[in-house]
Amino acid sequence: MTPLINIARMLRRLWRSINFMGEVISFRRMSRTYPRRFTMGWRDLYPCLDDRTTGTSFDRHYIYHPAWAARIIAETAPAHHVDISSSLSFCTIISAFVPVTFYDYRPAELNLSNLSSKPADLLALPFQDESIPSISCMHVVEHVGLGRYGDPLDPQGDLKAMAELKRVLAPGGLLLFVVPVGTPRIMYNAHRIYSYQQVIEYFTGLSLVEFSLIPDNGGLLRHAPQALVAEQKYGCGCFWFKKTIS
């Protein structure tokens, strides 16, 4: 980032701050013409200087992939769903219509009906082989072994995590799996990015029910062509796997 860009940002911030103080004074003057309903002291000021946008911004990965998964859970209607470290918003919302148990290396203190939260290590899940009929692990595995969340460094950590997901998935069960996709690389210590072929290879033995993609630009593409993955820098691949009944 060049010094000129930094200076421009500082000037914009200064201008917004000046405007903010002007609006505070105007609002206080306007309020005097109405019955007093609230206190508004100078210590209560809470400047929100970056919200005047023409549209509502959002993280496309974390809006679309839970929406994709929630639709599949609503469609399949499992008796119980297990989630491994996916977004809390996903778990809390689907618990409105499906009982959910959420597991995380750093357990969350959640207090909602139909939802329980427990500690678990993705490299050693506390389940019997082939015992979980409905499980999700979304935007998680790409971090395992990079130390970002206090976990031990392990270049093969993601492979071990995926092996655990395969191990515990029951015959006929569904696995909702989400990772960044594009040209394979490690963005240390944030995440890994996978090719479509890598993910399919790592889950050999499971059948792919659906692949959907959140591309670099645009919204969720249900049943996306795999060829699009190679065109992405940081796409979001949504894989619905099923374990074949022997």
Side-chain angles (χ1 to χ4, degrees):
M1 187 178 297
T2 67
L4 287 178
I5 293 176
N6 278 329
I7 292 171
R9 288 184 174 179
M10 290 173 60
L11 290 174
R12 283 197 297 270
R13 192 78 177 177
L14 176 60
W15 179 247
R16 290 172 183 171
S17 298
I18 293 171
N19 282 339
F20 171 77
M21 292 308 300
E23 289 183 354
V24 169
I25 295 170
S26 295
F27 188 85
R28 288 171 66 91
R29 287 174 178 168
M30 293 170 63
S31 297
R32 292 172 187 161
T33 63
Y34 300 98
R36 184 174 181 180
R37 297 185 297 126
F38 304 101
T39 61
M40 181 180 160
W42 291 105
R43 292 183 179 181
D44 299 322
L45 296 185
Y46 195 131
C48 299
L49 305 180
D50 302 314
D51 294 336
R52 295 186 182 182
T53 58
T54 56
T56 300
S57 62
F58 59 92
D59 186 317
R60 293 181 308 105
H61 281 220
Y62 280 89
I63 290 297
Y64 284 121
H65 90 251
W68 167 80
R71 282 158 172 75
I72 293 173
I73 295 298
E75 174 187 336
T76 56
H80 178 261
H81 183 74
V82 169
D83 181 83
I84 311 295
S85 303
S86 303
S87 71
L88 294 181
S89 58
F90 168 72
C91 298
T92 55
I93 289 172
I94 68 168
S95 70
F97 56 89
V98 171
V100 177
T101 304
F102 170 79
Y103 292 87
D104 196 274
Y105 190 74
R106 307 168 304 160
E109 294 185 8
L110 299 171
N111 185 16
L112 287 171
S113 62
N114 244 19
L115 176 64
S116 59
S117 176
K118 300 179 180 181
D121 183 349
L122 183 46
L123 302 183
L125 292 174
F127 311 125
Q128 298 293 322
D129 293 355
E130 300 190 326
S131 61
I132 308 298
S134 183
I135 189 168
S136 55
C137 187
M138 305 187 297
H139 246 315
V140 175
V141 165
E142 69 267 22
H143 307 298
V144 179
L146 300 184
R148 176 175 174 179
Y149 297 106
D151 53 315
L153 296 180
D154 187 348
Q156 299 289 92
D158 59 330
L159 298 181
K160 295 173 183 177
M162 285 184 267
E164 274 293 272
L165 293 171
K166 289 175 62 177
R167 178 184 69 80
V168 303
L169 185 62
L174 71 86
L175 166 63
L176 301 179
F177 182 77
V178 172
V179 287
V181 293
T183 302
R185 61 194 185 279
I186 294 178
M187 310 291 289
Y188 190 84
N189 68 344
H191 53 252
R192 301 173 180 86
I193 298 176
Y194 301 84
S195 70
Y196 174 90
Q197 291 75 17
Q198 281 179 313
V199 177
I200 296 300
E201 177 185 341
Y202 298 152
F203 285 100
T204 297
L206 304 185
S207 59
L208 182 65
V209 179
E210 176 185 327
F211 170 69
S212 293
L213 176 68
I214 303 161
D216 291 339
N217 298 294
L220 175 67
L221 302 177
R222 295 289 300 264
H223 304 283
Q226 67 180 71
L228 281 180
V229 173
E231 301 175 11
Q232 310 307 311
K233 182 177 181 181
Y234 179 65
C236 183
C238 305
F239 299 81
W240 174 5
F241 288 110
K242 182 177 182 179
K243 180 174 281 189
T244 304
I245 300 176
S246 301

